[in-house]
Amino acid sequence: MIALSLAEIAEIVGGQPHDIPDPSVQVTGPVVIDSRQVAAGSLFVAFAGENVDGHDYAQRAFEAGAVAVLAARPVGVPAIVVDDVQAALGALARDVVGRLGTEVVALTGSSGKTSTKDLIAQVLQRHAPTVFTPGSLNNEIGLPLTALTATAETRHLVLEMGARGVGHIRYLTGLTPPTIGLVLNVGSAHIGEFGGKEQIALAKGELVESLPESGCAVLNADDPLVRAMASRTKARVLLFGEAADADVRAENVRLTDAGQPSFSLLTPSGCGDVTLRLYGEHHVSNALAAAAVAHELGMSADEIARALSEAGSLSRWRMEVTERPDGVTVVNDAYNANPESMRAALRALAAMGEASRARGGRTWAVLGPMAELGDDSLAEHDAVGRLAVRLNVSKLVAVGGREASWLQLGAYNEGSWGEESVHVSDAQAAVDLLRSELRPGDVVLVKASRSIGLERVALALLEGAAEGEVAAR
Ligand SMILES: Nc1ncnc2c1ncn2[C@@H]1O[C@H](COP(=O)(O)OP(=O)(O)OP(=O)(O)O)[C@@H](O)[C@H]1O
Ligand SMILES: [Mg+2]
């Protein structure tokens, strides 16, 4: 964090100093919530979680070099005591970002936030020093912690914003008010918790409502619910997508034999050719979104196209493609799943299968449950099972309980009988089946909601294959 004295911090967060002999001592190190991450000069933020209470680690944090603890009660070492630790952390982030005057780019959407944020960061880094959300830390704690890593050199702060309900994005935009707000899509992620797509659109649109008149709302022209958000903002609107009226567009979109999208990028300032290192056509939309943000920040189409073509995947288990020495390709997309991302991944698998079929290879979709779909769960699992058959995926392995049986039944009803679709009870059973069946040239997609931990299947299939070519990182 930028250097601030304990007296200044206490004032910003409205807290009471306790056991602080010298309030002029400065916090100069990182602000952390895990005592194991404390470094010299840190501020340790004590949260009381379900299983662990950070206050119990205050002493340890102090001994490890923390200057003080932000806490809900005195802890026997220097502390700034507040009523609400989360609100205090937010207030500190807001103040620091305000002091720095950093340009905040915020993005939200149902699918692809992390993938797009990583693309934006890699493109903007070429332009000016950029700080961005690590991984998917997009909530009321991860967001301020990320913002607090910005320094005086930081020009762009790129923040992923997640929402599980109405009001969540409004809260986050209050902490780090963005000048550029990007909405990717409105899909079905967490639809059960939200209570419908309109509710999701309502929640995601809070991002553009927060923008100032001088700001820019970057909206997906291909998603009607996102496009409609133009009426909810004072800011200028920049549209991206494949629609003819989009400001930032793609033409000649195709997938290479390896499943990587290639397209001509058109921006108001020119055009350039892009071939992504990421897999799956859904990344075209993500790349256009990133291009629109970079264009808004003054980068040329040529520069953007080059940066996009060189950008890799920074976050794990998202369409992570590894070819084993024996010629089996494993696509680990087990980070998470919802109906849109399942469809996107299946389409990518089908494209990769085109090339492998020529070599006698087959495509395998090893799919598990999609969580939090509420009343739509049966229909959505059924539809994914059917899509696997329509896309001519050679084998569907549905893993898990009731939802997996719906996946398999969908495939069965679409015409995938016999051994073409199977239902197994757990990850180990899937691994056993695949180990005995896979042969060179096969491509295996592994995907399910995070809570299922299906990456275990992909990792087991890759055990001992470390020398295999890692195609994307
Ligand atoms: N534009 C897109 N449309 C549909 N699916 C996508 C899109 N972009 C990425 N995906 C897929 O969605 C899944 C999640 O991707 P990513 O982690 O980028 O999304 P996220 O919105 O950050 O998710 P979370 O809500 O878990 O933070 C991955 O399986 C990825 O392949
Ligand atoms: Mg994410």
Side-chain angles (χ1 to χ4, degrees):
M1 188 177 77
I2 54 167
L4 287 175
S5 72
L6 295 179
E8 286 172 303
I9 295 173
E11 174 154 0
I12 292 165
V13 303
Q16 288 300 321
H18 275 263
D19 309 304
I20 294 180
D22 179 3
S24 71
V25 166
Q26 288 188 322
V27 171
T28 52
V31 180
V32 298
I33 59 169
D34 182 336
S35 61
R36 290 165 298 187
Q37 292 170 355
V38 164
S42 270
L43 177 68
F44 174 61
V45 183
F47 276 105
E50 260 170 44
N51 306 314
V52 183
D53 185 350
H55 296 84
D56 297 338
Y57 293 82
Q59 179 74 35
R60 196 175 302 180
F62 184 66
E63 284 163 10
V67 173
V69 182
L70 183 60
R73 58 174 187 269
V75 283
V77 296
I80 296 168
V81 176
V82 292
D83 291 338
D84 181 340
V85 174
Q86 183 187 310
L89 175 65
L92 186 59
R94 187 184 163 95
D95 187 274
V96 166
V97 171
R99 273 170 207 246
L100 291 172
T102 311
E103 177 107 40
V104 177
V105 177
L107 75 159
T108 192
S110 294
S111 298
K113 295 181 291 298
T114 296
S115 311
T116 306
K117 174 265 303 174
D118 288 343
L119 284 176
I120 296 173
Q122 290 175 82
V123 175
L124 294 188
Q125 264 167 347
R126 304 216 169 186
H127 185 242
T130 301
V131 165
F132 57 101
T133 306
S136 201
L137 295 176
N138 62 23
N139 68 10
E140 59 284 354
I141 297 171
L143 179 124
L145 287 176
T146 303
L148 287 167
T149 64
T151 66
E153 282 74 47
T154 307
R155 285 268 303 283
H156 307 306
L157 183 55
V158 182
L159 297 172
E160 174 174 337
M161 294 189 173
R164 299 175 85 85
V166 170
H168 291 186
I169 301 279
R170 187 174 312 125
Y171 177 81
L172 298 176
T173 57
L175 304 186
T176 53
T179 47
I180 298 180
L182 159 64
V183 186
L184 290 171
N185 45 48
V186 171
S188 323
H190 313 303
I191 198 163
E193 285 184 26
F194 272 103
K197 260 194 168 186
E198 291 67 29
Q199 289 296 104
I200 299 179
L202 193 65
K204 305 283 181 203
E206 290 169 4
L207 179 54
V208 297
E209 283 175 351
S210 78
L211 296 168
E213 219 166 300
S214 57
C216 180
V218 180
L219 298 175
N220 186 346
D222 302 332
D223 185 322
L225 288 173
V226 176
R227 198 186 247 266
M229 290 176 192
S231 67
R232 292 169 62 187
T233 186
K234 300 191 284 291
R236 199 162 30 82
V237 172
L238 192 66
L239 292 175
F240 69 91
E242 293 183 42
D245 66 340
D247 303 292
V248 173
R249 278 189 308 128
E251 273 184 4
N252 309 321
V253 177
R254 60 177 202 95
L255 281 186
T256 66
D257 286 352
Q260 292 163 313
S262 159
F263 58 93
S264 309
L265 170 70
L266 286 86
T267 79
S269 64
C271 51
D273 290 326
V274 178
T275 301
L276 295 175
R277 289 173 58 206
L278 308 177
Y279 294 82
E281 201 166 334
H282 53 296
H283 284 304
V284 174
S285 178
N286 299 340
L288 289 176
V293 169
H295 165 75
E296 176 62 22
L297 289 168
M299 289 178 72
S300 72
D302 193 45
E303 236 181 328
I304 298 169
R306 220 167 329 120
L308 284 173
S309 300
E310 286 169 18
S313 168
L314 300 184
S315 302
R316 299 217 65 187
W317 303 341
R318 289 161 181 83
M319 296 297 283
E320 201 171 282
V321 179
T322 312
E323 189 174 339
R324 300 196 317 199
D326 68 353
V328 168
T329 301
V330 177
V331 183
N332 182 356
D333 199 30
Y335 170 73
N336 217 342
N338 59 50
E340 290 76 27
S341 72
M342 276 287 196
R343 285 193 267 279
L346 281 173
R347 279 196 280 268
L349 175 67
M352 296 167 90
E354 290 292 313
S356 72
R357 222 186 310 278
R359 294 182 282 151
R362 301 160 298 174
T363 45
W364 295 74
V366 183
L367 308 181
M370 299 174 282
E372 299 177 358
L373 291 177
D375 293 343
D376 298 339
S377 188
L378 193 157
E380 293 288 9
H381 285 90
D382 181 76
V384 167
R386 287 174 189 272
L387 181 65
V389 179
R390 284 191 203 137
L391 289 170
N392 213 7
V393 168
S394 321
K395 302 251 184 187
L396 171 71
V397 181
V399 190
R402 204 167 50 134
E403 292 100 333
S405 69
W406 296 336
L407 277 170
Q408 199 249 333
L409 200 59
Y412 181 88
N413 287 335
E414 193 67 26
S416 189
W417 302 299
E419 289 176 2
E420 279 184 13
S421 69
V422 290
H423 177 203
V424 297
S425 57
D426 57 25
Q428 189 53 50
V431 172
D432 293 343
L433 173 77
L434 291 161
R435 280 205 173 125
S436 68
E437 294 277 334
L438 289 178
R439 56 179 199 230
D442 284 0
V443 185
V444 192
L445 166 72
V446 182
K447 186 166 179 69
S449 270
R450 184 82 287 276
S451 47
I452 323 301
L454 214 58
E455 73 280 355
R456 283 172 296 160
V457 173
L459 298 176
L461 294 178
L462 290 172
E463 249 167 44
E467 67 274 30
E469 182 203 352
V470 177
R473 262 292 133 79

